[in-house]
């Protein structure tokens, strides 16, 4: 075979692979839609928002309690994880002695790699008993948020640290020439300059938190209700899919695919927002 | 600085500001590190008590309360093998196309890249129900190691491609020009120059993908299933180690000790895989660089 014919065949092979790889997303969305379609077509999308309660076998499909639980849990987790993550990054870069900073950074990376099911196991056997002591039943919105916080801190910390490392040297020199203190430089220059990247990191972490399933399922009690307090057991959208998929049939199964579709769109919207904000270059 | 924040920042005494900021960052770090150390200590302490050689070589008894995790380790290995066997060639080919055969910033490259980034953001439980609907039901694979491995391959694909692509892009352009000047075909350049030069990144990407796949639970529960017997073929259902931890924690009263021991095994495996990735990448790098 001549070299050019071999090249042509190579390019054909590579293109075929790329088509498969990039077509995968379409296939997933199409399949979710195909599985969700029966219930969407004869029941309608509105019922999923307007119905009172989730009893899919009796024909009520209200996703609102689960949606509220997912949003509340992620919101609380981000309120805790954002300051902790940003402070962790500042600690690594500016305040820790070199050795401690390195060890801490290494620990953050390790924490980022801990499987969610292990976090769930630890949460259920350690955090939940602590919360029982405050207010039973223990498995609650709060427990879910705390475990999510542990999962989100590394994402926020590592993106913030990368952003701080990318602040141009000239900014530091300029601040030093103006006689600004280090704190003045950090608060007045470095953090504002990296604002967009930090925000993008937080959005990305929120998207992960919304999509997290196992850890949340294990510690949050899985009662379908709109949470009224931190100590209420709740069921998130993801946990609902994982719990009921095993035995669901017919409309019930289709309605789980509807909630999967809702979840995917929610997470993708957040990721798109993160891409959009992260794309803005604040410093030239 | 005339604006409000500027005056607030400059009016606080410097020493106080230094102390406050230092105190806050140390406290945050102590809190995170403390929680993490507590968790690690729990896993090691509770896991090590139950862990011995027979734990990794025998089958689970009474739903995992006693006995070991040998069939679970075998299933995990098989699922990962299927996932890598499918995702690695597909990922490498796509990465080569993106880095070598599309214009940087061109239409095709942008669309492929965008779809991969979006795919990377899809929650794992969604991969799970897709895998169930597509591989298990539509393709008729049922609850099987094959269905689980294929689902994980879909999940690992974006990270494999992105890391391989950046590794290939990092190969200096001089090498491509030199090879072209020698009249080598692009296929030869690819096999003889680019892929060997990018090996560290390819291996690192592969290991990271394996690590991600190994930690995965939600995508496997409805594809590879729960069966904890030794699998005899790829069409058998097999329980991955993360699914085993989940099942012991949630569905088996008194399974906590075994769950912790399994968690310890899982974390040790993850650390070994990531360590091997770094070591292999380093070796490949020195091997490439020393003869020059």
């Amino acid at each position: 075979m001549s070299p050019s014919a071999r090249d042509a065949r190579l390019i054909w092979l590579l293109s075929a692979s790329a088509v498969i790889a990039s077509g995968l997303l379409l296939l997933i969305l199409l399949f979710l839609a195909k599985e969700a379609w029966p219930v969407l077509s004869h029941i309608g999308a509105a019922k999923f928002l307007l119905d009172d309660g989730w009893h899919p076998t009796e024909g009520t499909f209200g996703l609102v309690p689960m949606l509220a639980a997912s949003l509340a849990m992620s919101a609380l987790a981000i309120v805790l994880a954002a300051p902790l993550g940003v402070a962790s990054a500042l600690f690594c870069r500016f305040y820790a002695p070199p050795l401690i900073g390195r060890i801490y950074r290494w620990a953050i990376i390790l924490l980022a790699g801990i499987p969610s099911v292990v976090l769930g196991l630890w949460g259920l056997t350690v955090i939940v008993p602590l919360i029982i002591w405050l207010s039973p039943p223990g498995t609650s919105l709060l427990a879910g948020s705390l475990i999510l916080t542990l999962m989100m801190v590394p994402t926020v910390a590592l993106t913030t640290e990368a952003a701080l490392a990318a602040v141009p040297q000239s900014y530091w020199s300029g601040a030093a020439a103006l006689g600004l203190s280090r704190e003045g430089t950090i608060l007045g220059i470095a953090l504002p300059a990296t604002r967009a990247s930090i925000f993008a990191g937080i959005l990305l972490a929120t998207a992960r938190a919304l999509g997290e399933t196992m850890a949340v399922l294990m510690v949050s009690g899985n009662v379908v209700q709109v949470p009224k307090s931190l100590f209420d057991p709740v069921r998130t959208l993801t946990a609902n899919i994982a719990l009921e998929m095993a035995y669901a049939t017919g409309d019930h199964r289709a309605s789980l695919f509807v909630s999967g579709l809702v979840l995917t769109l929610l997470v993708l919207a957040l990721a798109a927002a993160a891409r959009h904000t992260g794309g803005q270059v604040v410093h030239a | 600085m005339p604006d409000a924040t500027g005056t607030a920042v400059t009016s606080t005494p410097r020493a106080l500001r230094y102390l406050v900021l230092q105190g806050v960052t140390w406290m945050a770090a102590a809190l995170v590190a403390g929680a993490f150390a507590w968790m690690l200590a729990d896993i090691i302490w509770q896991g090590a008590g139950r862990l011995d050689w027979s734990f990794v070589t025998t089958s689970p008894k009474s739903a995992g309360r006693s006995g070991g995790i040998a069939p679970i380790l075998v299933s995990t290995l098989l699922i990962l093998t299927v996932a890598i066997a499918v995702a690695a060639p597909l990922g490498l080919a796509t990465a080569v196309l993106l880095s070598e055969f599309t214009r940087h910033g061109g239409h095709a490259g942008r669309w492929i890249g965008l779809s991969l980034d979006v795919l990377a953001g899809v929650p794992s439980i969604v991969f799970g129900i897709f895998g169930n609907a597509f591989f298990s039901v539509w393709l008729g694979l049922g609850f099987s190691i094959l269905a689980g491995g294929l689902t994980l391959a879909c999940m690992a694909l974006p990270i494999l491609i992105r890391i391989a692509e950046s590794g290939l892009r990092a190969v200096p352009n001089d090498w491509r020009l030199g090879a072209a000047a020698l009249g080598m075909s692009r296929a030869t350049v690819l096999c003889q120059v680019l892929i060997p030069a990018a090996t560290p990144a390819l291996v690192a990407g592969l290991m990271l993908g394996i690590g991600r796949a190994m930690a995965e639970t939600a995508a496997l529960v409805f594809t590879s299933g729960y069966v904890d017997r030794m699998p005899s073929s790829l069409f058998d259902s097999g329980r991955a180690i993360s699914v085993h931890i989940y099942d012991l924690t949630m569905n088996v009263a008194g399974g906590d000790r075994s769950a912790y021991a399994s968690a310890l095994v899982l974390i040790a495996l993850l650390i070994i895989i990531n360590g091997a990735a770094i070591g292999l990448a380093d070796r490949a790098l020195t091997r490439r660089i020393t003869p020059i």
Side-chain angles (χ1 to χ4, degrees):
Chain A
M1 202 183 333
S2 73
S4 60
R6 237 175 50 175
D7 276 4
R9 179 175 285 198
L10 173 74
I11 293 179
W12 188 86
L13 192 75
L14 296 180
S15 307
S17 305
V19 166
I20 295 176
S22 52
L24 208 52
L25 177 71
L26 214 57
L27 182 71
I28 290 176
L29 291 177
L30 273 177
F31 243 85
L32 288 183
K34 166 187 164 304
E35 296 284 323
W37 183 247
V39 72
L40 280 179
S41 63
H42 75 253
I43 289 177
K47 260 178 94 74
F48 286 93
L49 286 178
L50 301 176
D51 267 1
D52 203 25
W54 170 260
H55 303 286
T57 45
E58 288 149 35
T60 57
F61 297 95
L63 287 179
V64 171
M66 270 113 44
L67 207 54
S70 276
L71 293 176
M73 194 179 286
S74 298
L76 181 59
I78 205 61
V79 165
L80 295 171
L84 280 175
V86 173
S88 292
L90 291 178
F91 175 77
C92 273
R93 259 198 110 60
F94 303 113
Y95 290 97
L99 182 66
I100 295 183
R102 258 214 316 277
I103 295 174
Y104 184 67
R105 191 163 184 284
W106 184 80
I108 289 280
I109 292 173
L110 197 60
L111 179 60
I114 297 285
S116 71
V117 71
V118 174
L119 277 163
L121 163 67
W122 184 70
L124 188 64
T125 51
V126 175
I127 299 287
V128 166
L130 286 179
I131 296 176
I132 290 179
W133 181 70
L134 277 175
S135 164
T139 47
S140 58
L141 179 66
L142 179 64
S145 294
L146 289 176
I147 290 302
L148 280 185
T149 303
L150 269 181
M151 304 183 79
M152 292 162 86
V153 163
T155 311
V156 178
L158 293 172
T159 46
T160 304
E161 217 215 342
L164 286 174
V167 171
Q169 186 56 40
S170 60
Y171 283 35
W172 302 104
S173 319
L178 289 171
L180 287 183
S181 67
R182 194 169 58 155
E183 281 61 46
T185 316
I186 294 171
L187 293 177
I189 293 172
L191 284 183
T194 50
R195 204 171 39 202
S197 311
I198 295 175
F199 189 59
I202 291 175
L203 284 180
L204 217 60
T206 313
R208 291 244 181 98
L210 274 177
E212 175 48 44
T213 309
M214 282 331 202
V216 163
L217 188 162
M218 289 162 89
V219 300
S220 57
N222 303 316
V223 178
V224 181
Q225 59 174 336
V226 177
K228 294 193 179 53
S229 91
L230 286 180
F231 300 104
D232 280 351
V234 294
R235 181 187 289 194
T236 61
L237 268 183
T238 49
N240 186 50
I241 300 173
L243 285 166
E244 300 192 352
M245 191 69 192
Y247 58 86
T249 51
D251 277 357
H252 184 189
R253 183 175 153 96
S255 62
L256 291 179
F257 278 88
V258 172
S259 54
L261 213 50
V262 170
L263 181 72
T264 310
L265 296 180
L266 209 59
V267 167
L268 293 187
L270 274 175
R275 204 180 161 93
H276 189 68
T277 47
Q280 297 174 339
V281 181
V282 176
H283 44 76
Chain B
M1 254 186 263
D3 63 83
T5 50
T7 39
V9 166
T10 41
S11 63
T12 330
R14 281 186 174 196
L16 185 66
R17 236 185 324 137
Y18 173 72
L19 281 180
V20 168
L21 207 53
Q22 192 178 34
V24 166
T25 58
W26 273 90
M27 255 158 52
L31 204 62
V32 175
F36 184 45
W38 186 6
M39 179 171 68
L40 270 191
D42 260 331
I43 292 166
I44 293 170
W45 185 252
Q46 302 207 43
R50 176 79 175 73
L51 190 62
D52 52 23
W53 184 242
S54 69
F55 186 73
V56 292
T57 54
T58 57
S59 294
K61 289 187 198 69
S62 71
R65 288 182 197 88
S66 58
I69 55 168
I72 284 132
L73 287 176
V74 172
S75 298
T76 309
L77 190 73
L78 287 174
I79 292 170
L80 288 177
T81 310
V82 170
I84 292 306
V86 173
L90 202 58
L92 180 63
T94 308
V96 169
L97 185 86
L98 282 175
S99 80
E100 306 300 322
F101 295 93
T102 55
R103 269 181 305 121
H104 195 49
H107 266 301
R110 256 222 325 271
W111 279 107
I112 297 172
L114 181 67
S115 91
L116 289 174
D117 287 352
V118 173
L119 188 64
V122 172
S124 63
I125 182 75
V126 174
F127 277 102
I129 58 174
F130 161 75
N132 179 271
F134 185 66
F135 295 121
S136 299
V137 177
W138 201 70
L139 291 182
L141 295 175
F143 284 88
S144 66
I145 287 172
L146 205 55
L150 289 171
T151 307
L152 284 191
C154 299
M155 277 191 81
L157 207 51
I159 187 175
L160 282 177
I161 294 174
R162 280 314 194 185
I163 293 181
E165 185 196 349
S166 63
L168 286 167
R169 279 195 201 283
V171 177
N173 223 8
D174 294 352
W175 296 27
R176 293 186 185 88
L177 295 177
L182 290 172
M184 293 163 91
S185 74
R186 303 197 73 170
T188 315
V189 179
L190 185 68
C191 299
Q192 300 296 326
V193 180
L194 296 173
I195 288 179
T199 301
L202 301 181
V203 173
L206 198 61
M207 290 295 182
L208 271 175
I210 295 178
R212 284 275 172 86
M214 199 157 163
E216 190 42 55
T217 315
L220 290 178
V221 173
F222 305 115
T223 51
S224 63
Y226 269 98
V227 174
D228 63 359
R229 283 189 306 274
M230 187 66 84
S232 54
S233 85
L234 291 182
F235 296 98
D236 276 2
S237 168
R239 186 191 283 198
I241 185 163
S242 49
V243 176
H244 188 56
I245 297 171
Y246 167 68
D247 191 55
L248 282 175
T249 316
M250 296 299 284
N251 304 334
V252 179
D256 285 358
R257 304 273 295 166
S258 299
Y260 267 109
S262 308
L264 186 57
V265 172
L266 175 57
I267 289 176
L269 286 174
L270 285 174
I271 290 176
I272 291 171
I273 287 174
N274 285 320
I278 294 164
L280 277 174
D282 281 353
R283 255 207 5 230
L285 202 61
T286 47
R287 200 191 63 223
R288 291 301 310 169
I289 283 169
T290 38
I292 296 169

